[in-house]
Amino acid sequence: MVRSRITKVDERRREAYRRQRDANDKAAVAARERAAQLRELERDAESRRELETVWGSQQAGLSRLRDISKQLDKLHRAERSLLDERDRLVDALRRNNVSWAMLSSWSGLSRQGMSKRTS
C-alpha cells in the first residue's frame, strides 16, 4: 500500500510537535534548575547578612558559639552537682522519716519523681 501525501504531512507535523515538546520540556527543566540555584544563592546571601547583622562576622559568630558552648558546659556541670546534692539530701531526709509529701512540697518535685531518683 502506498502512503498518501497527507499521511506523510501528518507524520512530519507530529514529529515537529514532538521535537517542540521535547525542546519545551528541556527548557522548563533548565528554568527550574536556574530558579533553584537563584533561590539557593538568595538563601546564602540572606544567611550571610543575618550573620553579619547579628554577630558581626563569621569569625565573631564562631567565637560566640565557642563561648556559649563553654558556658553551657559549666551550667550542665553545676546542674549535675546540684541534682546529686538534692538526691543525697532527699535520701538522708527519707532515712530520718521525713514523708514523701513533705519532701515533695519543699522541693517542688512529685513524690514519684523523687522516689525514682533515690532508688
Side-chain angles (χ1 to χ4, degrees), residues 4 8 32 42 58-60 64 68 74-75 78 96 105 114 116 118:
S4 70
K8 291 179 183 176
R32 282 192 299 272
E42 289 171 359
Q58 182 176 354
Q59 188 60 40
R64 180 65 181 141
I68 290 171
K74 287 179 185 178
L75 289 171
N96 282 293
S105 67
M114 280 189 297
K116 284 182 179 179
T118 57

Side-chain angles (χ1 to χ4, degrees), residues 21-52:
R21 280 192 309 272
D22 289 347
N24 289 343
D25 290 345
K26 287 178 184 176
V29 168
R32 282 192 299 272
E33 289 173 356
R34 282 192 305 274
Q37 289 171 344
L38 284 174
R39 283 191 303 273
E40 187 175 333
L41 289 173
E42 289 171 359
R43 278 193 305 267
D44 291 347
E46 177 61 30
S47 67
R48 268 189 242 102
R49 280 192 298 273
E50 179 184 2
L51 182 67
E52 290 173 0

